[in-house]
Amino acid sequence: MSRLFDPDSPPDERTDAAFMAAAISFGRRGLGTTAPNPAVGCVIVRDGCIVGRGATQPGGRPHAETEAIRDAGEKARGGTLYVSLEPCSHHGVTPPCAEAIIVAGLRRVVSAIEDPDRRVAGRGHAKLVEAGISLRVGVGAREARRLTLGHILRVTEGRPMVTLKLAETADGFAAGGQRDQRLMITGQAANGRVQVMRAMHDAIMVGVGTVLADDPLLTVRADGLAGRRPLRVVLDTHLRTPVHSRLALTARDRKTLIFAGDKADASKEIDLMGAGIEIVRIGLHDSGHVDLLQALQTLGARGVTRVLSEGGPVVAGALIAQGLADEVVLFTSPRPFARRGVEALARDARALLADPVRYSRLAESHAGVDKCRCFERIV
């Protein structure tokens, strides 16, 4: 086993940052599978080597720390544990991770961020210190917060985090006119990246306009990810989703939920429920559409932590305007539409996305020939 760092040297910022990055990377593998619990990553280091690895398992348990301790076995004793979120301190379905760390004989813990869940909220860290374990908090905090944002928002605001995905032509359009609404904007590489994004979320959400224009399936179609089945969510104020749509025809095999307004046609509700779709009626926003925050809070109450919105320009604009789009991933094709179409983002929404007070640009890359820009909402 090769040593990544000199075990005789005291831990420093560079060493801690590198091992924490490994823990966060390992935890990222669980995104889309661990709800209602957060996706957490953990590594155990002894004598400069990683001797144990763990990530939150599908369904939310076992937790990352206990998995890493199990993986390390006796090698955990005297080692350092790196974890992307504060170890839990309360008895739930499983015993507290903080207790497991103490029993395993670890001498030091490096934790990225405190867990805002009121059942933890610093108690896990305090329990470790009381047991004489050396503790360092804050290493890799920004990336750990991104990894755990769905959990953080769910316990602090009652809603999941939202990733807004948009695709536009070089001249800013997402669709054509009435006769050519559906555009094949992005290439194979970008489309493949979107499939991975779907797999990393608990739910995929669109507006009814997207259902009517594109008749999407909203499933994960990628090698090795076929087992991922995010909840399919439609925002449909007046229940216009066709009973013969692909969503309705596959609803008995794939969980599908429609948020409808209070006054939507009851007969349409019966037809869609008969197809296997769950209908949840909620209040309306001032815009006349179903209330986005209420819809998200309903999902949060059901344990959903991460939502990928692939809705059209109306939903995208509303999410940005209401401060509900936590990350925005914008794919831009090099090809223009070259005639009038439906704008991917209205001028106001695009201005908000460009406002440095509201959003910061995380990254810019390419997926094949398409440009990909990622923005993060500033809290």
Side-chain angles (χ1 to χ4, degrees):
M1 185 180 297
S2 61
R3 289 170 173 166
L4 302 182
F5 294 94
D6 182 358
D8 296 324
S9 299
D12 57 24
E13 291 187 8
R14 184 175 68 92
T15 301
D16 282 348
F19 284 125
M20 181 60 75
I24 291 171
S25 179
F26 204 62
R28 193 173 289 115
R29 300 180 187 183
L31 290 175
T33 70
T34 66
N37 289 344
V40 178
C42 178
V43 298
I44 295 174
V45 176
R46 182 175 170 182
D47 297 330
C49 302
I50 293 177
V51 297
R53 301 169 177 82
T56 310
Q57 295 301 291
R61 56 183 64 87
H63 291 179
E65 298 94 321
T66 55
E67 285 290 286
I69 290 170
R70 181 190 59 78
D71 187 42
E74 279 302 310
K75 293 179 182 178
R77 190 164 300 277
T80 298
L81 180 142
Y82 294 83
V83 64
S84 59
L85 181 68
E86 177 183 8
C88 63
S89 57
H90 60 285
H91 285 268
V93 176
T94 55
C97 289
E99 186 176 296
I101 292 169
I102 295 168
V103 171
L106 286 142
R107 66 173 180 83
R108 183 170 182 260
V109 169
V110 180
S111 173
I113 56 175
E114 183 177 295
D115 189 343
D117 189 327
R118 66 179 184 274
R119 297 171 299 175
V120 187
R123 294 183 184 89
H125 289 156
K127 179 171 284 195
L128 297 175
V129 173
E130 289 169 5
I133 294 174
S134 174
L135 174 69
R136 183 181 182 191
V137 180
V139 177
R142 182 178 180 184
E143 284 303 310
R145 187 181 183 280
R146 287 191 65 208
L147 172 65
T148 321
L149 184 58
H151 166 72
I152 292 171
L153 290 175
R154 183 170 174 265
V155 300
T156 59
E157 299 183 17
R159 71 167 180 91
M161 70 87 67
V162 177
T163 302
L164 171 60
K165 189 276 294 184
L166 290 165
E168 65 177 0
T169 60
D171 45 1
F173 296 110
Q178 291 295 320
R179 295 182 181 179
D180 57 355
Q181 281 193 318
R182 186 169 189 179
L183 299 179
M184 302 303 291
I185 296 174
T186 52
Q188 185 175 355
N191 295 341
R193 188 176 296 187
V194 171
Q195 294 300 315
V196 174
M197 290 173 63
R198 287 181 176 183
M200 297 172 73
H201 289 76
D202 309 324
I204 304 170
M205 182 174 74
V206 298
V208 68
T210 297
V211 175
L212 296 174
D214 297 343
D215 193 20
L217 266 175
L218 304 182
T219 55
V220 178
R221 300 182 297 278
D223 292 342
L225 297 174
R228 304 286 181 97
R229 295 193 166 204
L231 172 68
R232 305 183 300 184
V233 178
V234 181
L235 305 169
D236 186 359
T237 305
H238 303 294
L239 285 179
R240 295 189 293 150
T241 298
V243 74
H244 57 269
S245 65
R246 294 203 293 173
L247 286 175
L249 293 174
T250 57
R252 296 195 183 281
D253 183 54
R254 305 271 181 163
K255 289 185 179 180
T256 307
L257 183 154
I258 292 179
F259 285 111
D262 295 332
K263 297 181 180 179
D265 191 327
S267 64
K268 294 179 180 178
E269 177 178 6
I270 292 171
D271 290 342
L272 290 167
M273 289 178 64
I277 296 177
E278 180 183 2
I279 309 295
V280 176
R281 291 178 179 264
I282 60 175
L284 302 185
H285 185 260
D286 293 342
S287 63
H289 300 292
V290 290
D291 189 290
L292 279 171
L293 178 57
Q294 189 177 345
L296 291 172
Q297 288 175 335
T298 300
L299 293 175
R302 294 177 174 220
V304 173
T305 62
R306 293 171 56 83
V307 174
L308 175 64
S309 175
E310 296 191 50
V314 174
V315 173
L319 286 169
I320 292 174
Q322 295 176 40
L324 298 174
D326 302 298
E327 288 191 10
V328 179
V329 180
L330 179 60
F331 291 96
T332 303
S333 166
R335 298 181 298 276
F337 186 49
R339 58 184 185 274
R340 290 301 303 170
V342 179
E343 292 183 333
L345 277 177
R347 182 176 300 177
D348 290 348
R350 202 174 287 274
L352 290 174
L353 189 60
D355 184 349
V357 175
R358 293 177 179 267
Y359 285 92
S360 63
R361 184 178 295 189
L362 280 175
E364 182 172 321
S365 62
H366 278 83
V369 298
D370 302 307
K371 181 187 293 185
C372 178
R373 287 171 288 170
C374 182
F375 301 85
E376 179 182 46
R377 183 175 64 88
I378 297 173
V379 180

